[in-house]
Amino acid sequence: MNPKQIIKEIKEKQEEIRSVIFVGCGASKAELYPAKYFLENNSKNLRVSHYTANEFNYGTIASLDKTAIVISASLGGSTPETVQANAKAKEYGAHVISLTRAENSALTKDADYVICHRFAESYGAKLEKMGYALELAVEILEQYEGYKDYEDAQVAFSKIYDLADSAAKSAIADARKFAEAYKNDSMIYLMSSGATAEVAYSTSICLMMEMQWINSGSFHSGEFFHGPFEIVDKDVPFILLMNEGSTRPMDARALTFLKRFEAKTTVVDALDYGLSSVIPKTVIDYFNPMLITAVFRVYAEELSYARQHPLTKRRYMWKLEY
Amino acid sequence: MNPKQIIKEIKEKQEEIRSVIFVGCGASKAELYPAKYFLENNSKNLRVSHYTANEFNYGTIASLDKTAIVISASLGGSTPETVQANAKAKEYGAHVISLTRAENSALTKDADYVICHRFAESYGAKLEKMGYALELAVEILEQYEGYKDYEDAQVAFSKIYDLADSAAKSAIADARKFAEAYKNDSMIYLMSSGATAEVAYSTSICLMMEMQWINSGSFHSGEFFHGPFEIVDKDVPFILLMNEGSTRPMDARALTFLKRFEAKTTVVDALDYGLSSVIPKTVIDYFNPMLITAVFRVYAEELSYARQHPLTKRRYMWKLEY
């Protein structure tokens, strides 16, 4: 079933939905963030939460009942914490929708609805998890409260995958320059705002720390001036993921400061890849993370080649029990 | 007025409250997190959000109207983004409560209610911002939905400040050992879970990056195994802020891994400072951050002495316009 049909069927069963809870771990948690951000900011009535799976499992979640929709994600569908979260959600009577690329994986056991996404096929396909989550959020808002920009969002969904895929392919030259410039750095900071805030986060904890063993930290561009900016110096590398739309002034203010003090800065800017030329202005905020994720994937790949450290190399993950 | 009276008066004016929105920047944002965490997890109906102030200012907040309570915080009461957030909240008809130590500061202009807290007087006094925010959250839950552990929370509020103050004083010897061991490190990671998650965050961006110019990153203990743990090695320093209560197993699992690979690890554990001996079990989750904040302040002070880098030293903040 597609997102529209899933939400329609849930609404036929349960007229009153009070909470929407997004649950995942690591990159899969972060990929739910644009959907959470969209729904939290645009809904007047729905409670919207976002948990790393074990926080959902161990913590009190008083709102977890048949008036809740839980949307969980796990790439391989076997993340134990997220599988357990589905079981808890089901036990409390919530409506469970899961996103995974692995049909019949453990994650699907307690899911009422499963959306299987692609992953490795293309830069665009890698975005489907994020995209389906956002589509679910848009459907929930439209069907439960009404969403005035619903048609614009449909236009955006019809365009974003091709745009992201071609943007990624066009980024190779810039990505190589970045890789050459950053390949010997032992610490790299990531920063963004709006719906893209957790792309900065997942780039930091996954692409840098996990896949390149490079030290890293991340924060919201709006927080930069309230602590992190004191670390700025010529030899401290930053990557700024820059949004088109409402929160651009925050990213721009951080960039002005980084330039003023000649910090080593790389900017991946949605504007440069033509986001606003195909995505309606009314919904542009929510489509930055998909475009930027696709483009930065190329940056990470080039970094891995320059460092001769494959993105698939691990010392602990998949290698031992923990 | 105290938190109980403030919420009572709001309820007399506005019977239906749908949203509670916490707004601040940097440490003041992070200090609102325990209140946000408490209310999000324990409320069945209230929408609960938490924004860095400019995200609130620039973003769409569809729920912002007379059914919203906005709780903002700024230590000196002059943070421009938070002052602007109050103006926006007021303009949309929300009920605005502000926490600051500065009476008659800009923050108080558009606030319907102001709670002035102390700060520098003692380790306990430094926690009042966090404590009042939590008290407001407890009152909102009690008065709008009812809270079965309300009396236990009152017991906890009556005990936590003294406990935190004496815990901080008893931490000096351990803090000195920490300072000696970490004073030459150029990168320090912070980790915690539950209501304490943003103490790890603010320790990272404020105490480390801002006040010591030490590179730093932070993440949730539950996220450790989904990326960050690949950075673990003998020479990579970690600080784990360990909770008593529901989320302790997450912190403990991370600690087991850090020990197994002999990572350089410092643990600040609420259990060691007797949290459960004075705070009722029913509410203990929400009082970890106050205790741990007080104790870690001593660690930061000792680190600053060992590094001969005062916590008040800045290169940009307070020194130029940006």
Side-chain angles (χ1 to χ4, degrees), chain A residues 82-96:
Chain A
T82 316
V83 171
Q84 193 189 329
N86 270 13
K88 178 173 177 175
K90 182 89 171 173
E91 184 194 333
Y92 282 78
H95 308 270
V96 183

Side-chain angles (χ1 to χ4, degrees), chain A residues 37 40 49 52 55 220 223, chain B residues 37 40 49 55 201 220 223:
Chain A
Y37 180 88
E40 178 170 34
S49 297
T52 186
E55 187 67 69
H220 192 287
E223 292 279 277
Chain B
Y37 180 89
E40 178 171 33
S49 296
E55 186 68 67
Y201 166 74
H220 191 288
E223 292 279 278

Side-chain angles (χ1 to χ4, degrees), chain A residues 77 83 86 98 100 102-112 114 116:
Chain A
V83 171
N86 270 13
S98 291
T100 179
E103 275 185 86
N104 304 317
S105 57
L107 190 71
T108 67
K109 181 174 162 282
D110 288 313
D112 298 306
V114 175
C116 283

Side-chain angles (χ1 to χ4, degrees), chain A residues 292-311:
Chain A
I292 289 172
T293 296
V295 170
F296 200 82
R297 181 75 194 183
V298 179
Y299 278 61
E301 286 170 356
E302 291 298 332
L303 187 63
S304 76
Y305 306 149
R307 300 180 76 242
Q308 301 186 39
H309 183 121
L311 292 173

